[in-house]
Amino acid sequence: MPLDVSELPLVGGHPVLDLVNTLERGGGSSPHDHLSDSSDLLRWSVRVGVLSDGEADQVDRAWHDEPAAAHAGLVAVRDIREGLHLVMLSLITDADGGTAGDPVEAGAALVALHERWAGAAARARLVLDPSGVRLAYGTVPAMVVPDRIAEAALDLMLTADLTRVHRCPVREGGCGWLFLDQSRNGSRRWCRMADCGNTVKARRLTERRRAGRPPRS
Ligand SMILES: [Zn+2]
């Protein structure tokens, strides 16, 4: 039974890496999308801090009045998610020194991500607040969610140390989720040690024990 989006572990260290992890790409099993509809997307957006509760109520009303906008928002977010995944894969170095991504696909994804962000920036407004002037993304209720996520995607790509984005190692039995390694020495290998790391270790131990046991006569 797949986890509900409200229970999905947030291990990415940045909202848009958690976004990438909402699609379980599965090693062999069929993919599962935790953002199955616009209401999942809305709940997830509040959970990761993309929206406040009050803003979510406004978005909910706008999407209720305009179902096509709700669908377009979901499509835009999934598109950003896919683009970011391709870009991140092209930057992540595997244990053998190669990358799991295709630079041509990543380049095309950057063009699409820039277009999403440009649309969001066109709808953004300069606003005065007590500390000065800031650029506020998401001023149109029906578009707040994709616009804020486009902003967050640019924030990750331009301000995070992308050499610290790692993938829970699939080849070693990990889940493939992405995370920003904020450990002091950059040595974090698993999305969550309590989950993937320990599961893989326990499996290896069982395999070693089995291998060492004499065959039954
Ligand atoms: Zn994992």
Side-chain angles (χ1 to χ4, degrees), residues 26 35 44 55 57 98 100 109 125 149 177 190 195 211 215:
L35 301 179
W44 180 86
E55 288 172 325
D57 289 342
R125 294 279 178 274
I149 289 174
W177 277 9
W190 308 98
D195 199 329

Side-chain angles (χ1 to χ4, degrees), residues 83 86-88 90-91 101-115 157:
L86 290 170
V87 172
M88 294 302 130
S90 75
L91 294 171
D102 174 341
V104 175
E105 281 185 339
L110 283 176
V111 172
L113 285 167
H114 181 258
E115 280 171 10
M157 291 192 291

Side-chain angles (χ1 to χ4, degrees), residues 1-5 7-9 24 32 34:
M1 188 67 187
L3 287 176
D4 182 79
V5 74
E7 302 161 339
L8 198 63
E24 307 263 9
H32 174 76
H34 291 280

Side-chain angles (χ1 to χ4, degrees), residues 35 37-47 51 55-57 59-61 63 145:
L35 301 179
D37 57 27
S38 56
S39 88
D40 280 347
L41 172 59
L42 199 52
R43 286 190 298 135
W44 180 86
S45 301
V46 173
R47 192 169 166 228
L51 289 183
E55 288 172 325
D57 289 342
V59 173
D60 197 24
R61 277 196 294 276
W63 281 359
V145 174

Side-chain angles (χ1 to χ4, degrees), residues 168 174-177 190-192 196-197:
C168 187
C175 66
W177 277 9
W190 308 98
C191 68
R192 287 174 303 165
C196 282

